[in-house]
Every structure is written in C-alpha cells, then in structure tokens.
Amino acid sequence: MSSPIESVLQEQRLFYPSLEFSAQAKIGSLEQYHQLYRQAEADPVKFWSDLATQELDWFDRWHTTLDWQPPLVKWFDGGKLNISYNCLDRHLLTWRRNKAALIWEGEPGDSRTYTYAQLHREVCLFANVLKQLGVQKGDVVGIYLPMIPEAAIAMLACARIGAPHSVVFGGFSAEALRDRLNDGKAKLVITADGGWRKDAIVPLKDQVDIALTHVPTVENVLVVQRTGQKIQMLPGRDHWWHDLKQGVNADCPAEPMASEDILFILYTSGSTGKPKGVVHTTAGYNLYTHITTQWIFDLKDTDVYWCTADVGWITGHSYIVYGPLSNGATTLMYEGAPRPSNPGCTWEIIEKHGVNIFYTAPTAIRSFIKQGEHLPKARDLSSLRLLGTVGEPINPEAWMWYYRIIGQERCPIVDTWWQTETGGIMISALPGAMATKPGSATLPFPGIIADVVDLEGNPVGVNEGGYLVIKHPFPSMMRTIYNDPDRFRSSYWEHIPPKEGQYFYFAGDGARKDEDGYFWVMGRVDDVINVAGHRLGTMEIESALVSHPAVAEAAVVGKPDEIKGEEICAFIILEGSQTANEELAQELKQHVVKEIGAIARPGEIKFTDALPKTRSGKIMRRLLRSLAAQQEITSDTSTLEDRSVLDKLREGA
Ligand code: WT7
C-alpha cells in the first residue's frame, strides 16, 4: 500500500445549515446537489455547455464544447468572448449600472467605491493607456501593485485588450519579480510608488527599478500614485497613470478573445525547480469562477462580499476580481492586513460596510484567535451570513472558533479546497445544501470527479489516506506551465500513470474520504512548505540561502507553527572558514527576505556539518522535518547514505 499520509484526525461533529439559510440558498438541499452532481457526471459536456450558454455573454458561439487530448484540453473551442465584458459591460445594460461593484478600504483609513459604470470607465481609460504605450494583444504585462482598486482595474484592462497579465505579489522581492518578468518576457510593468501594509510603506517602485536592471523585454513602466513618497522616474520608460489617463478617451470596446486565448499567467512554487508559470485561458476560467462564486458563496445581488486574499494570489484573481464581478456582485477589497495600530480593523470593516459574506484563510483565523475574542465582540457582526476559508487544512478548533465567535453559530462555513492550478474551488460545501464537519472540505463541486487513490490509481478504502486526484477535465483547469509543457506533464499527470484511458490529475495533496464521502485534505505529500496559506518551494528558499557567501549547503523544511501553519526551519552547512553564531543566523534570515520576500523568512536556522541524503544525493527532507518538529523518526531510513548524520543532527538540535 502506497499511502502518503496516515489519518489521525477523528472529528464527529456535524453542523446543518439553518432552515432559513437553506430556504433562500441557490442550492438548497442535498437532493438538489446530488441531482446536479449526477447530471454533470453523466453528461459533462451538456452540463458545462448549458451553463456557458446561460451564464456568460459570447461574441461568437463555440463549436466544440470539450476537446480532450490528455493532458491537453480545450473548452468551448471556436467561441469568442471577453471576461472584462462579462465582468463590466453586460451589467451596464441592467439596473446594476449604478450598483457598487468595488468597495475599497485603504489601510490609513481612506476609502473609495466604484459603481459598475465607474469601474467600466476606469478600465477603459486604463486599457487605452496600455494601448498608447504599445501594448498589443498577446503581450504579457507584469502587475506589481498593492491592494488598491487599480490592481483590479489593471487586470481587467489587460483582459479587455487581450494582454495576458502576470501578477506578482507585492510582498515578493526585486529578485523574485525579475525572474517572473523574465520568464513571461513581460513588455510593460504596472506598479505603484508604494503601498500600505501593517503601518508601513512597501516601496514597490524601488523594487521594480532594481528588478528592471535585468529584464531586457520591459519597455515601459506605468506607475500609480498611492503613498506619495519620493521615487525615481526614468524619463522615457516610467509614466504616471494619473498623467496619461488625462489624454485618452473612455471608449475602448472589449477585444473578442478566443476561448483558449491566455488570460493570465500566475507563478506558483513546486517542490523542485524554479516557480511554475500556471497558464489559465479565457472561457473555461470565466465560466468556472463565475458559477463557483454563485453557488458556493450563495451570492445574492444584495450581498457585500469580502475576500481578504491578496490579488497576487489565485484567490484574489478568482474570488475578489473575476468571479464576483462576473456575477454583478459587490466585492470589497482591503489594502492592508490586521496591524499593530488597529488589530480589530477586520471587524471594524465588517461593521462599517455590513459585510454579508467573509472569506479568509486558516492562518488569519489563528491570528484572530490569538488576538482575542474581545476584538470581534466589540463590533456588530450581525450582517454576516456566510463564512469561508481557504489555503490549507483548517484545524477543527480554529473552525469551531470561527463558527462560534465570528459566525455566532448562525453562519455556515465553506471550507474550500483548490489550487492555483485548478483556477477555481474544487471541493467545498454548497452551504444551503449540506452539513459541514469541522476540518473537512466536504464534497466536490458538480462536474468535479475527485477521488482518493493509491499510486496505481485504485481508489483506497473509506478513511484510508491516499492521493487526491481529479479524474475528468473541468473548465478552469490549468492549460500548461508557461514555457515548459514537459514539466506540466511530469508534475501533474505522470505521478499516477494513466490506465485504460483514465488520466489522473494529481494535485500533490494527501487526503481521505470518510463514510459519507466527505473529503479530508491532509496536506502536501511533497516537500513544499505551506506558510500562512501559501505554498513555498524548498528549492527557491534553499537557493536564496546558498547565494549567501557564508553558506555551503542548505535544506529547508516546514515545522508546525500555531499561527502560520508551518514555519520555515533551515538546516545550514557553512563554508569552511565560517563560524556559526546568532549574528550570522539573523543575517541569513534577512538575506532570504531580500532574495524572496518576508513571507519566506526562516523562523529558525540550525547549523550542521552534514545533511541526510540518499545515495543519489537527494536531501531527505522528511527526516529533517521530523527533526525540526522534534519527533521520533519512524519513517523509512533505508535509503539513507550515512546513518550517523541523524545522530549528529539530533545532538546539535
Ligand atoms: C494548496 C494550493 C487555493 C488558493 C490558496 C492556495 C492547500 C488550499 C485548502 C483547504 C486543505 C488546502 C492544498 C493545495 N489548500 N485550500 N481548504 N484545505 N488544504 O493556493 O498556493 O495554489 O496552494 O493549498 O495543499 O494543494 P496554492
């Protein structure tokens, strides 16, 4: 048996939605869910084709709903549409024209609201500025912005003219930005002077200046003024958005895009190698994020919906920008993060705007718990009707706190399992239809054939751990890795080899299914570290460490952490002449921050003389993980080259 993870969690609690909630819900009963699920399973082509007809506006209808040449897929081939049109223009023809599309809160307390008509106008102006700067259909545009409305506007403007965007999280360093811009051969970068985060300014433009010394393809930089701090503007290359927008007109029809034209590239870490540029295309992504937003968040026209993710991650793409706006919803965006000067800002914003649906991450929930329940209790949270979580498995105690203190035992919780690669939510409760269990993402979305299998692709037994796989193509699945189709195949489609025509998309997670068919995701089976809901590749962090002159070799692993889920623990072998001390440990931590960003800062540095390796020279990180967590090593050590290394490491710990 090749089970990747053993199941240890025993959770029996069951929470039903209230009758009131179910009565008003889009999908209001388990029966209705099963019916939809069966329909989709029996005839996926009809299921998705019907939804695409009903839910999206098209310039040209497609001729082939699904073209599946594993692992290559095309959805709605022959069709023409534009996601910016579906998110904006079509609502202008309805009463939603003057409805709030985007409510934004800045960290220092400033606030802006855009109606659909206003947002449409800004996007058109932005798109015309991009065109004026020479951006054409197919050109990749880098976006490195704080959480300000212009981030959404820039994405929609790129989509409008058919320029794939590559959003780089504003917390990433100049080096990380440079690599991503080079991989995409970006032609233009959109940034800001700076952004607010945790009471401080993040100097984005300065980082761009450093990055661009080594990115030959970028011709222009479009700069949004946010903080007003002093920055360098390189004549001819750098342009202020507020200057250029004065000179363009507000008429910019949405470009008809083919269904399979690239909408965006978004980089995510793998366990080895450089970050993967996950490619998403237009129609399938639009449809899937649209319908999952509608059914999973039970989104109504009267709701104020708030997802706390950053637009630099897939959650921000799919569930702040595209999914909600395609539905004509009111989406709320917040610039900062809970911060020393106002730790209760989250609850203040919910009260101020009467937020109805709140979607956040387990890592945030754990820090809310630590801050104390007096903060949410000081605010009126009675507007909330539904809560969501995403990013990593949520521990049942955090789930219960979220349910009791934030949801006041009134709001269902949707625990949504998905990935950058899947584009949209794969496994989650439909909140009016099914009971939830703390720690389980519950059941797959209609049309998603998910299973837990062994290495040969055979389903494992009830409550047995195995590999989480998807067995049928779905509209928002990643199409490839940018510039690396071979890696796309080997990373996702060969781990569990196809058999009898059945292909298995392997997500990289271990899971089990319980007696009710509920999925319990147990985490990554590879070496990727999940810090605060973000997967970080060991390789990138190790490379950063090794780039420091004092370091000969580095291995990093995740170590359980109460707040962040995992914390990075780095094992370091120093160059011969160097001596280990606390000062150097601090310096190395800072070095990683510079190379990658604060998110990758190791919590702990352990100096050592040797690392446990296999005979072929591969570092055995699972052994290091046990050491870091101060656990007994019970897993297999037979492939270890030198067993005495473990004893030495233990002594040093
Ligand atoms: C990985 C994907 C999807 C947006 C945020 C992260 C883990 C995500 C859950 C959940 C258990 C989860 C998985 C997955 N994950 N959501 N509800 N329960 N695990 O996107 O950076 O692409 O990471 O996050 O391990 O594979 P990402």
Side-chain angles (χ1 to χ4, degrees), residues 378-396:
R379 295 289 170 180
D380 180 2
L381 305 182
S382 61
S383 58
L384 289 173
R385 63 181 197 90
L386 176 64
L387 303 174
T389 149
V390 60
E392 57 184 309
I394 181 165
N395 39 310

Side-chain angles (χ1 to χ4, degrees), residues 268 314-315 389-394 415-421 441 507 509 521 523-524 530 533-535:
T268 188
I314 190 70
T315 311
T389 149
V390 60
E392 57 184 309
I394 181 165
D415 175 355
T416 62
W417 177 84
W418 59 296
Q419 312 179 289
T420 305
E421 292 87 339
D509 286 336
V521 178
R524 314 276 317 154
N530 195 327
H534 302 301
R535 272 186 298 164

Side-chain angles (χ1 to χ4, degrees), residues 136-248:
Q136 291 176 359
K137 188 171 176 172
D139 289 340
V140 173
V141 172
I143 298 180
Y144 187 63
L145 282 172
M147 284 287 286
I148 54 177
E150 286 80 1
I153 291 166
M155 290 163 74
L156 289 161
C158 288
R160 195 164 188 87
I161 62 175
H165 55 70
S166 167
V167 182
V168 179
F169 170 53
F172 275 134
S173 68
E175 286 78 3
L177 174 64
R178 175 197 64 202
D179 292 348
R180 286 158 176 76
L181 293 175
N182 275 327
D183 188 68
K185 298 192 178 57
K187 197 166 172 195
L188 180 140
V189 179
I190 302 164
T191 190
D193 46 359
W196 287 100
R197 196 174 162 80
K198 299 198 177 176
D199 296 320
I201 286 179
V202 186
L204 294 165
K205 176 62 167 59
D206 294 351
Q207 299 294 311
V208 170
D209 290 342
I210 299 168
L212 289 191
T213 56
H214 290 93
V215 187
T217 51
V218 168
E219 294 164 8
N220 290 291
V221 180
L222 187 55
V223 188
V224 178
Q225 190 167 43
R226 164 63 185 137
T227 55
Q229 94 247 39
K230 205 174 144 36
I231 54 165
Q232 301 289 328
M233 292 292 280
L234 192 70
R237 187 195 71 180
D238 299 349
H239 317 268
W240 285 110
W241 151 238
H242 59 257
D243 285 343
L244 296 193
K245 94 189 259 197
Q246 304 306 328
V248 293

Side-chain angles (χ1 to χ4, degrees), residues 58-79:
W58 297 80
F59 300 135
D60 287 327
R61 200 182 157 81
W62 62 95
H63 49 68
T64 311
T65 302
L66 172 62
D67 175 356
W68 177 223
Q69 322 241 348
L72 303 181
V73 75
K74 287 183 189 163
W75 281 95
F76 311 110
D77 200 17

